[in-house]
Amino acid sequence: MSSARPWSLLLGFCCVLLTTVTSCKKDTASGANAPLRVAFFPNITHAQALVANAEGLFGSQPGMGHVEVRQFNAGPAAMEALVAGSVDVAYVGPGPAINTYLKAGKELRIIAGAVNGGAVLVVKNAKTPQELKGKKLATPQLGNTQDIALRHWLKAQNLSIATDAGGDVQVIPISNPDILAQYLQGAIEGAWVPEPWGARMLAEGGGHILVDERDLWPDKRFPTTVVVTTKKVLETQRSRIAALLRIHVGLTERWRADPPAFATSVNAAFGQLTRKPLPAPVLQDAFSRLEPSLDPVPAALKTSAEHAKSLGFIPSDDITGLVDLSVLDEVRGGAKPN
């Protein structure tokens, strides 16, 4: 795939997002009896949401009211729904969150961290960055968190993205299941993916981890999943957001207290949704690279925005106002998120 097609796809998403912002406000639910609509992906990096949904916790918290759960497969689609008002809260990667904040009137708010770590570059044969020349690498979606990470890393290695006019490495944005299939068929050298896809590529297709993204960040900490809402929802449904965050905090503490048991709960929830629970070794390998975290790591968000801007994905890296932890602070009695 030439570079022209990915950039045209990104432009298409931006147009959809802007159209959504200007034309879909009527989809916003309102009133005391309106459901609180919570979005997440069937992915173990959305661990707290998976368990809350499977165990019925979203509907059990006093003050939360009626809850509707909505599943998405990628961040841009979830962010379109959030901006349109058809979703109130979402678990999502920082890339789409930053992109939406800057391109949709700065209405989005990150209200808590969820998961840190859990993104890797798995390759079949290459032992060094330079051995990737002439190879194909995949990411889950153009402009998503892992796509930006790979493109920035290649640039730092003095490797160019292949275009019709030449270049070093071809980057192909395709869905996670397609990445695994292409890797098993030998059609791509590797991919920069979130867990459990990295662990699955290793277990089912061999190869090795060329980059564990934790090694690229100070103290090995960067957010993979954050919890977001909008300024309007914070203003109009603050008590219900607080109720949701009590569930989120409780599950995060449960994960820290007993990681093996929590991983088993996540896998059960993952299996209910996908009908394909992970084998125990793959689950353990994937969870070994994940860290539960209420801290969205604002410094890493700023760096991610700088990376996205340097690649031309966003017009600015000014994310002042993006993070609002005031409800989380209230829920935790002022304790600093960690």
Side-chain angles (χ1 to χ4, degrees), residues 141-336:
Q141 190 170 30
L142 177 67
N144 90 324
T145 305
Q146 289 76 43
D147 187 72
I148 292 171
L150 173 59
R151 292 173 189 270
H152 180 267
W153 180 81
L154 288 172
K155 185 179 178 181
Q157 308 308 313
N158 294 317
L159 293 171
S160 62
I161 307 297
T163 68
D164 292 337
D168 295 322
V169 182
Q170 187 172 348
V171 176
I172 307 171
I174 51 178
S175 68
N176 285 318
D178 288 339
I179 285 175
L180 179 60
Q182 295 272 311
Y183 185 69
L184 297 179
Q185 294 168 9
I188 58 175
E189 166 66 15
W192 198 296
V193 287
E195 298 296 353
W197 299 101
R200 286 195 65 183
M201 289 172 68
L202 291 169
E204 300 175 35
H208 62 279
I209 295 175
L210 186 61
V211 179
D212 183 333
E213 192 176 336
R214 292 176 298 180
D215 295 333
L216 305 179
W217 293 91
D219 301 322
K220 297 181 178 292
R221 300 187 79 233
F222 70 99
T224 305
T225 306
V226 294
V227 186
V228 305
T229 187
T230 65
K231 179 182 176 183
K232 180 177 181 180
V233 171
L234 271 180
E235 291 172 350
T236 60
Q237 304 194 62
R238 192 174 182 88
S239 62
R240 301 176 77 187
I241 295 298
L244 181 143
L245 287 183
R246 289 190 189 92
I247 297 170
H248 179 69
V249 170
L251 287 167
T252 303
E253 292 173 348
R254 178 173 148 188
W255 184 351
R256 288 175 174 147
D258 193 345
F262 191 76
T264 299
S265 297
V266 171
N267 201 28
F270 180 77
Q272 287 180 15
L273 296 178
T274 64
R275 300 185 183 281
K276 294 181 180 179
L278 298 168
V282 176
L283 180 70
Q284 293 169 7
D285 185 36
F287 262 82
S288 71
R289 290 183 282 275
L290 299 179
E291 175 199 9
S293 176
L294 299 172
D295 180 9
V297 197
L301 293 172
K302 175 63 175 173
T303 300
S304 294
E306 293 170 355
H307 292 173
K309 181 177 182 293
S310 71
L311 294 167
F313 279 92
I314 53 178
S316 166
D317 57 16
D318 182 6
I319 58 171
T320 304
L322 170 63
V323 177
D324 183 345
L325 303 182
S326 59
V327 181
L328 180 65
D329 291 343
E330 292 171 13
V331 167
R332 303 187 70 239
K336 185 178 180 181

Side-chain angles (χ1 to χ4, degrees), residues 109-157:
R109 295 291 184 273
I110 292 176
I111 56 175
V115 178
N116 288 347
V120 289
L121 172 58
V122 175
V123 297
K124 183 73 75 174
N125 299 304
K127 300 295 190 298
T128 67
Q130 293 305 309
E131 290 180 10
L132 292 172
K133 283 186 176 179
K135 306 292 186 181
K136 296 178 181 177
L137 298 176
T139 62
Q141 190 170 30
L142 177 67
N144 90 324
T145 305
Q146 289 76 43
D147 187 72
I148 292 171
L150 173 59
R151 292 173 189 270
H152 180 267
W153 180 81
L154 288 172
K155 185 179 178 181
Q157 308 308 313

